[in-house]
Amino acid sequence: MPAYNVKIENGKLSFQPERDYKSKILFFCFLAVVIFVVTPMLHLYRDTYWSVMAIGLVSVLTALYDFIFHFNVTYIFDQYTGQVYKKIPGLFTRKIMAFEDVYILHVQEDGLLHYALSHKQNKYGKSFAISQPFGSNRKSQIRQATFETEILSEIEKIIHASR
């Protein structure tokens, strides 16, 4: 499934759940470029000029933050070690829980459903989003069905195969 960049190899399942940040990142990059190119051509007062440039800087920082901490986040389910890892490429790989502790939670926020990993002992404590939010329209329902059949089923296979 290209939307999640799924890879299954050597007893490892890896996928990137938040690939939908691409359009948001591109929007903020485009906004920043427009601000940094157009603003110097305009004859603005000094305070206005720097206020607009600050908006451009915030746009760049937002795009960079989303690219590093959302867009490229990869979850790895390693069947041999029986662990789930969260990887942010270039920064760190962190073990988040063992397969025995994994509970897949259906989270409803703002009328949108998404799936999350949480610990069995504390289901509603810290959780890790493993899917994009799904709405109630037809396109979202198709994306949800695809996620459930292609990714969620693979996660359950790997978790149950190691027990």
Side-chain angles (χ1 to χ4, degrees):
M1 184 172 172
Y4 288 94
N5 201 13
V6 179
K7 295 178 188 167
I8 303 172
E9 54 190 28
N10 300 329
K12 289 184 180 182
L13 166 70
S14 66
F15 67 97
Q16 296 174 321
E18 300 184 27
R19 300 297 285 186
D20 61 339
Y21 273 82
K22 183 177 183 179
S23 58
K24 181 180 174 187
I25 292 168
L26 291 175
F27 171 75
F28 280 111
C29 286
F30 177 74
L31 179 65
V33 167
V34 168
I35 287 173
F36 291 139
V37 169
V38 173
T39 303
M41 291 184 225
L42 302 174
H43 300 291
L44 301 173
Y45 292 113
R46 188 175 66 85
D47 292 340
T48 307
Y49 175 83
W50 287 111
S51 298
V52 173
M53 292 303 247
I55 292 170
L57 180 64
V58 168
S59 297
V60 167
L61 294 176
T62 301
L64 187 62
Y65 178 82
D66 284 342
F67 181 75
I68 293 172
F69 294 107
H70 289 130
F71 184 71
N72 282 326
V73 170
T74 305
Y75 288 101
I76 302 167
F77 291 79
D78 191 346
Q79 190 172 14
Y80 296 115
T81 62
Q83 300 288 328
V84 181
Y85 299 94
K86 181 178 181 179
K87 179 180 181 181
I88 297 180
L91 293 179
F92 64 85
T93 300
R94 185 177 90 190
K95 177 175 62 171
I96 56 175
M97 69 182 77
F99 282 177
E100 298 85 37
D101 296 332
V102 171
Y103 182 78
I104 298 175
L105 189 63
H106 303 258
V107 179
Q108 189 89 17
E109 290 179 354
D110 299 329
L112 301 175
L113 169 78
H114 74 272
Y115 292 94
L117 289 178
S118 72
H119 291 276
K120 280 185 181 178
Q121 293 81 16
N122 188 7
K123 294 176 186 167
Y124 299 103
K126 183 161 176 77
S127 63
F128 303 91
I130 59 170
S131 74
Q132 302 168 347
F134 303 114
S136 59
N137 61 12
R138 188 173 188 280
K139 186 177 178 182
S140 287
Q141 289 175 347
I142 292 170
R143 285 189 310 127
Q144 180 180 356
T146 305
F147 176 81
E148 290 171 351
T149 57
E150 294 183 14
I151 296 179
L152 208 53
S153 63
E154 290 296 326
I155 290 172
E156 290 173 354
K157 281 181 197 175
I158 286 182
I159 288 173
H160 295 302
S162 68
R163 289 183 182 172

